[in-house]
Amino acid sequence: MTLNITDMPLEQFKDWLVPIVNEDIFTSRERLIALLAKNAPHDELEEEFREFFNGYYVLALELEEYEEVILGIIEQNDAFAHLNHRISAVEAQRKSSPLGREARRMGLSVHGDPVPEIKVTALSPDEFRGFVHTLANWRFFVSRERLVKLMETDDRIEISYRLRTEFYEFFVCYLELELFLENYDYDPDDGLELRPEFIEELEREEEYIRSGGKMYTLEEVAEELGIDLKCMN
């Protein structure tokens, strides 16, 4: 998708930013900070981290769609030399492919990509607390706060350039957060129990198949419904 941030009118740019800066990861991060501050039990911290990680996954899907465009803008502007230096450092240290990074967020791996070295669920309570503390205090979140404050500023002339500049800082901080998480293996669905009604449905389907019930292919279903699969490609 083409995204012309540099020519986008200020109000349109702010509207585009709204869902990004309000993703669930940011409210979850605030809850993590509160849990850390009161030295909450490990299971509470672990449960909130799952929410945090799910929020991170959603935000990553949002941002990576525009990664190529944003990196191109930063690269072409001499004023962002400091950001280009940080981007180069990230790219030099990255071990996984874009597909591998997406798979890692789901607790999966891609053939040919290195397997993360550290399993989050294997961390001791103290190690896990330290890990969460590092994430919750990442400067990515500081940059997000600056973005929000700029978005709330009424002076259009003052913030037009600053808002875009801060967004590029925010994006590079996100890349650095991604790099940090590259070494960690975590599946947010690991250990979750299936809903009883879902288990019952699986058991009914299994019994249906054992008793001779027929399974239909996609092609057979399409033929029955009169759908031409070729038209859907």
Side-chain angles (χ1 to χ4, degrees):
M1 178 178 180
T2 301
L3 181 71
N4 195 343
I5 294 177
T6 53
D7 295 334
M8 190 182 290
L10 177 60
E11 291 305 316
Q12 183 183 352
F13 183 56
K14 288 167 67 174
D15 289 344
W16 178 75
L17 284 177
V18 167
I20 293 175
V21 300
N22 287 296
E23 289 288 1
D24 290 343
I25 183 176
F26 300 110
T27 52
S28 180
R29 180 256 182 176
E30 293 302 315
R31 292 193 295 267
L32 279 178
I33 290 289
L35 289 172
L36 288 168
K38 70 175 186 178
N39 200 27
H42 178 74
D43 57 343
E44 289 185 30
L45 201 59
E46 197 172 41
E47 183 176 349
E48 188 56 51
F49 175 72
R50 179 179 286 114
E51 296 299 318
F52 174 91
F53 196 90
N54 284 329
Y56 150 69
Y57 173 74
V58 173
L59 179 66
L61 287 178
E62 179 85 18
L63 291 179
E64 70 182 4
E65 181 179 355
Y66 307 105
E67 180 170 332
E68 184 177 351
V69 174
I70 295 169
L71 293 183
I73 294 171
I74 296 174
E75 183 180 5
Q76 294 169 16
N77 195 322
D78 292 339
F80 302 137
H82 62 296
L83 295 180
N84 276 311
H85 178 74
R86 288 163 58 188
I87 292 168
S88 296
V90 168
E91 292 175 342
Q93 296 176 68
R94 268 180 174 172
K95 303 172 186 174
S96 58
S97 63
L99 182 59
R101 290 193 288 277
E102 183 175 350
R104 176 188 52 75
R105 299 183 204 118
M106 296 186 288
L108 305 173
S109 61
V110 171
H111 179 70
D113 271 21
V115 177
E117 300 173 0
I118 306 170
K119 195 169 183 63
V120 172
T121 53
L123 296 174
S124 70
D126 286 343
E127 289 172 333
F128 180 71
R129 189 173 296 272
F131 168 67
V132 171
H133 183 274
T134 298
L135 285 176
N137 288 280
W138 204 268
R139 62 177 173 176
F140 169 71
F141 297 103
V142 176
S143 180
R144 181 261 181 184
E145 291 301 316
R146 290 198 297 261
L147 262 182
V148 171
K149 288 181 180 179
L150 285 169
M151 291 169 68
E152 294 171 348
T153 302
D154 293 329
D155 191 335
R156 295 170 58 88
I157 297 177
E158 178 187 348
I159 72 162
S160 183
Y161 177 77
R162 289 177 57 198
L163 185 62
R164 288 172 171 81
T165 300
E166 188 58 51
F167 171 71
Y168 301 143
E169 166 72 23
F170 170 84
F171 190 84
V172 173
C173 288
Y174 153 74
L175 294 181
E176 292 167 336
L177 177 65
E178 275 267 276
L179 179 64
F180 173 75
L181 287 170
E182 191 173 78
N183 290 322
Y184 289 87
D185 177 21
Y186 179 72
D187 180 359
D189 296 328
D190 188 28
L192 293 180
E193 295 184 1
L194 296 176
R195 296 194 307 273
E197 58 269 26
F198 181 70
I199 295 176
E200 291 175 6
E201 179 64 25
L202 288 178
E203 290 174 345
R204 283 196 295 270
E205 291 182 5
E206 185 179 4
E207 179 59 32
Y208 171 74
I209 294 170
R210 279 203 303 264
S211 62
K214 177 175 172 56
M215 297 291 290
Y216 294 89
T217 66
L218 177 62
E219 288 76 13
E220 289 172 328
V221 173
E223 183 179 356
E224 179 70 21
L225 297 175
I227 298 173
D228 186 353
L229 291 178
K230 293 181 180 179
C231 295
M232 300 178 65
N233 292 334

